[in-house]
Every structure is written in C-alpha cells, then in structure tokens.
Amino acid sequence: MPDYQLLIFDWDGTLVDSIGRIVEAMHRAADVAGVPRCTDVAVRGIIGLELGVAIRTLYPELDEPLRIETIRRAYSEQYLALETEPSPLFEGVRESLEAFREQGYQLAVATGKGRKGLHRVLADKGWLDYFDITRCADETASKPDPLMLHEILAHCRVQPERALMVGDSTFDLLMARNAGMDAVAVGFGAQPLSLLRECSPRLAINEFNELRAWLDGRRAQRPAEVSEDVG
C-alpha cells in the first residue's frame, strides 16, 4: 500500500463547482465568434485541456488562427463576466484540505486554467500561498501530457508512487497514468464516473468527503489487513 505524501488536485470540477459557467462561457464565445455552439456534452468533454487545445478540439475545421484567437478572447471575457461572484468550493473541500495539511500531506494543483485565472481565484479565497505548488496549462504542456505532474513531483521531491492525482476528467486520469501515479476519479464534475472508470482509477467518488474518509482509512490500516480498493 503506497504511503501517499503528495495530493494533487485538478481545479475546475474537482475543487470548485464551476463547470456550468465554463459551458455557458464557451457557448457565448461561440456566438461572439460567429461559429455554431457545440453541445453541452461536447464542451464538458474538453474541460481540463489548455484553452487553445480545447477550442481546436471543439472546432477542428477551423484553421484560421485569428478566428481561434477570437474564440479564446471571447471565452475569457465571458467567463470573467459570469464569475462576478466566484464559483464556490464543493461541499467538504475546505475542511478536507485543512485536514490533509494537518496530517502532513503536501498539496498541489494541476489545472487546465491559465496562470492569470488561477491566481485570481486563489487570491479571492485567500489561498495564494496555500498549496506547495500549482501548475497551469499555459506554462507547461496540456493534459494528458504528464509534464506538469513531473514538475510538481520534482518540486516536492516525491516519487510518483507516493503521489495521488484527483480529477474529474479523463485528461486528469490519463495524465496521472502517464506519470506513473495513482488517481482518484470524482463524479461530480465535468465527466461521469461511467466514463472515468474506463481509465482504471484507484478510487471513484461521488462526494469530496469520500476522499478524506478513504485516505483516513488507509492511514489506519495495517499492511497485512489491506485488500484491493474498488475503483
């Protein structure tokens, strides 16, 4: 049983209830740019990717850099307009993160957000210095490339088998697999657990507090008593 030292979290849809606003902002951006709206399911399916990669995934037929940049800029503007009141943390997140810190875990964020956007929301919550390290898609490779996880591991001086990635998209889980680390799938974000389970996560949860209970249970178990967890 790995003794996890480092817990790495996606942001949107994992810690913060922001998926609805992301979908609506992308729909509005499409209207501004004069391109067809994609379905809600399609937009939810690209959440977690770096924004430029996400747009090109939604609109593969667009080969005009200016049109893609128009959508990117419009999305950012529309999302900020919807975020006049910041998206709330999911129930149990704040208390669980505090408990993890007290138990000695290192905490990190690996997100598809840009640095400017993450800085804004962390500042709003008074969390600018809360995490040991945060990595954003515009300063490293987009998920599911494992580069941002490698950078986090190097900063925290932790081996992959001692780290756990927690996320709500297949991009998060595949990134963890590519980095050689375990992952937890959360079913209250961008993608359903039925899809996330195909990536063979170590654990699948429907409420954030389940992660805390699972980790507490592992800490209390003796190695001889451990059995395989059901993902």
Side-chain angles (χ1 to χ4, degrees):
M1 178 180 65
D3 180 13
Y4 298 119
Q5 298 174 321
L6 170 62
L7 306 179
I8 307 171
F9 300 93
D10 172 56
W11 186 261
D12 292 301
T14 298
L15 298 181
V16 175
D17 188 4
S18 53
I19 299 302
R21 291 180 181 181
I22 292 173
V23 172
E24 179 60 24
M26 190 60 74
H27 288 335
R28 294 185 183 185
D31 295 342
V32 170
V35 296
R37 288 191 176 195
C38 296
T39 66
D40 288 2
V41 172
V43 177
R44 293 170 75 95
I46 54 83
I47 293 174
L49 295 174
E50 186 274 330
L51 182 55
V53 176
I55 293 169
R56 288 191 292 273
T57 301
L58 286 174
Y59 297 100
E61 71 281 4
L62 290 182
D63 55 4
E64 307 170 36
L66 287 179
R67 181 66 67 86
I68 293 173
E69 182 57 30
T70 297
I71 299 173
R72 176 196 284 270
R73 187 179 300 112
Y75 170 82
S76 298
E77 292 172 353
Q78 295 300 322
Y79 187 80
L80 280 175
L82 292 167
E83 276 276 291
T84 51
E85 181 178 341
S87 297
L89 296 168
F90 284 109
E91 183 178 354
V93 166
R94 186 178 296 274
E95 299 82 359
S96 295
L97 293 183
E98 285 295 334
F100 296 151
R101 282 166 56 99
E102 292 175 2
Q103 291 167 348
Y105 292 106
Q106 293 186 72
L107 303 180
V109 169
T111 177
K113 298 180 81 68
R115 173 55 62 184
K116 184 177 179 179
L118 183 64
H119 185 278
R120 177 179 55 80
V121 295
L122 289 176
D124 172 76
K125 299 186 185 307
W127 279 6
L128 284 176
D129 299 316
Y130 191 88
F131 296 95
D132 292 274
I133 180 175
T134 60
R135 298 299 290 158
C136 298
D138 60 351
E139 59 195 12
T140 185
S142 178
K143 302 172 185 180
D145 189 295
L147 181 58
M148 70 170 71
L149 294 185
H150 290 159
E151 293 168 344
I152 290 171
L153 291 169
H155 176 87
C156 295
R157 298 183 179 182
V158 173
Q159 295 300 310
E161 62 271 15
R162 307 296 292 278
L164 186 68
M165 176 70 205
V166 183
D168 67 318
S169 76
T170 56
F171 308 119
D172 297 317
L173 306 188
L174 292 174
M175 178 175 66
R177 179 189 296 175
N178 292 337
M181 67 175 60
D182 287 345
V184 172
V186 302
F188 43 79
Q191 297 177 2
L193 281 183
S194 58
L195 178 61
L196 300 180
R197 286 180 186 274
E198 295 178 9
C199 297
S200 302
R202 193 78 173 101
L203 176 73
I205 61 176
N206 282 302
E207 296 181 3
F208 196 86
N209 283 328
E210 294 179 62
L211 173 63
R212 181 177 173 184
W214 182 72
L215 288 171
D216 286 349
R218 292 172 65 85
R219 286 165 59 88
Q221 285 177 322
R222 296 179 180 178
E225 299 172 341
V226 174
S227 59
E228 282 297 311
D229 301 296
V230 177

